[in-house]
Amino acid sequence: MGKRSPGAPGEGGQRGWRRRRVLATAGATTMGALAGCQSGSDDTGMSDRSDEHESAGTDSGSAEGAATGSRMYRVDAANSGHLSEARGPQEQPVEKWYEARTTISFITPAVADGTVHVGPELAASDGTVNWDGDFYERSPAIVDGRRYSVTFTELNTVSLDDTLNEWNYYFTTNPSAPTVVDGVAYLGYERGQLYALTTPGEDEEGFQADGEEVWSFQQPDDPESGLETGTFYAPAVAGDTVYASSPTHLYALTASDGSQKWVQTDVTGGVPTVVDGTIYLPAGEKIVARSTTDGSKEWESRVGSPNPVAVADGVVYANHNKLHAIDTTDGSVLWQTELPGAASTPGEFPTQGDSSPDLTSFGPSPPPVVADGTVYACSGGTISALDAASGGIQWSYDTNGTAAWTPAVADGELYVVVSDASPMDTDIYGRVVALTEP
């Protein structure tokens, strides 16, 4: 496959994005540029893609449906981190291939129909560069034959059927990873803003139409403290409800129109995970379980992580240098395992989380993922596979890198972004690595 030709921003109906729209924010003031990885390659523009590409299918169409591979940030729209119909390497893996990059972003790749989507599109079979594009700033989503990706200040979509770039929305700064359900992308944004954006359709004349803003939600500033509201993390969607968390608030919003169902203000926020009527919210050194009915607290654990958790088969898995397994019924700790690999001190390594612009601890202890009774977790540059029931380490793989992000799991293999930069380096460079059983 060849490279895409750069498209001029103003060429709406020519090569490049068909239409562009600046996303107006209610009462917005420009927030300082978010700290994070700057991604890039030789191509700085986007255009219509002339190469053949297989359709991505219709996986992850519902919030709690089974996923057969990593196609969205935290696997599915509920942010469960659990792949119920996929498996990764069960035995000590070997490196199948790697693709070195002078600039990378810490994201979880999306894998669909033999392609690893990280910005550059890589063949899952051998790492061949099918298209040499910029790294995304957030983990992409592959849903219903369409790829949703965030590149610095815009959300854009590409149809994998006809290989055309379709539409994009501009933001002042980069939004969260997209959570996509039933043709709508939900994204958290700065100053307590949340957006629901439609996928494009056809107009009355049969031409491609631009996407539309379904609704937007603005969390008000705290009138007593005078504090500005914080950024919304990547939301979770379950049923007809969007669960959105900022550093201080947790909201339940109607998915169709953004109307507020309830709000809890006594929270320490993080990326929410919603499974079986319970919201699991990372809160620094603990995990808090809250009811989806009204947000009331069900329990809180004595261990936890500031990072997103994975929930599978009645257990919450949280990575904070140690991997903790927590019972979903009462928050008791079932087991905890020290992970191999020298993790960097939070705040020391210049990383950017998938959907949290202010949590520098994402780099050393990225979120775990669960597949086929195995938990895959990273600490520093080491990837480990643990038995989900006992916490026993099945194998560990040293990437010889400084840090490794949450791997994507698909077809018995792992795909992971690895940094080769030291904490003192200005630029972040590294590799996309594929691991497979020997």
Side-chain angles (χ1 to χ4, degrees), residues 320-321 339-346 348 363-366 378-381 402-403:
H320 197 34
N321 294 328
L339 296 175
S344 303
T345 301
E348 180 182 55
S365 301
C378 297
S379 181
T402 308

Side-chain angles (χ1 to χ4, degrees), residues 91-393:
E91 304 175 8
Q92 182 68 42
V94 296
E95 186 177 276
K96 184 178 181 180
W97 54 260
Y98 74 90
E99 171 64 17
R101 289 279 148 172
T102 56
T103 310
I104 63 169
S105 297
F106 272 85
I107 65 172
T108 300
V111 184
D113 295 328
T115 300
V116 181
H117 298 266
V118 287
E121 293 177 2
L122 310 176
S125 58
D126 58 9
T128 300
V129 179
N130 292 337
W131 175 69
D132 198 5
D134 293 345
F135 263 82
Y136 307 132
E137 294 293 322
R138 299 288 187 255
S139 296
I142 307 293
V143 182
D144 294 336
R146 180 175 284 115
R147 187 187 68 225
Y148 301 74
S149 57
V150 171
T151 27
F152 194 46
T153 59
E154 61 186 350
L155 166 71
N156 58 64
T157 68
V158 171
S159 169
L160 300 183
D161 279 332
D162 56 20
T163 67
L164 290 176
N165 296 312
E166 296 175 322
W167 60 275
N168 68 338
Y169 266 79
Y170 278 126
F171 295 82
T172 306
T173 54
N174 45 357
S176 74
T179 303
V180 183
V181 179
D182 295 334
V184 179
Y186 302 90
L187 300 94
Y189 191 53
E190 63 173 7
R191 287 183 54 80
Q193 295 161 330
L194 191 78
Y195 288 92
L197 308 174
T198 64
T199 59
E202 292 184 353
D203 60 22
E204 294 180 357
E205 298 179 354
F207 294 104
Q208 188 71 60
D210 198 359
E212 296 181 348
E213 179 183 314
V214 181
W215 53 261
S216 62
F217 176 82
Q218 172 69 61
Q219 176 185 325
D221 292 340
D222 187 337
E224 295 184 1
S225 66
L227 295 176
E228 295 181 350
T229 58
T231 300
F232 271 119
Y233 305 103
V237 182
D240 65 349
T241 305
V242 178
Y243 300 92
S245 174
S246 73
T248 58
H249 290 66
L250 176 65
Y251 289 89
L253 308 174
T254 303
S256 60
D257 60 12
S259 59
Q260 181 176 311
K261 294 185 174 182
W262 53 257
V263 60
Q264 287 287 342
T265 60
D266 59 338
V267 304
T268 299
V271 176
T273 295
V274 181
V275 176
D276 294 334
T278 298
I279 308 162
Y280 300 94
L281 203 63
E285 297 300 319
K286 60 186 178 183
I287 305 297
V288 178
R290 294 181 175 273
S291 168
T292 57
T293 302
D294 57 8
S296 58
K297 184 187 295 186
E298 296 178 347
W299 54 257
E300 66 178 46
S301 68
R302 62 178 177 84
V303 297
S305 172
N307 306 328
V309 300
V311 180
D313 302 320
V315 181
V316 180
Y317 299 94
N319 183 13
H320 197 34
N321 294 328
K322 290 181 179 180
L323 186 67
H324 307 282
I326 303 164
D327 195 321
T328 59
T329 59
D330 59 8
S332 59
V333 179
L334 301 174
W335 53 258
Q336 56 186 19
T337 300
E338 189 88 32
L339 296 175
S344 303
T345 301
E348 180 182 55
F349 194 77
T351 61
Q352 167 78 26
D354 264 292
S355 51
S356 174
D358 55 354
L359 287 179
T360 54
S361 57
F362 266 60
S365 301
V369 65
V370 184
D372 195 29
T374 300
V375 187
Y376 297 96
C378 297
S379 181
T382 300
I383 305 173
S384 297
L386 297 87
D387 180 77
S390 67
I393 296 178

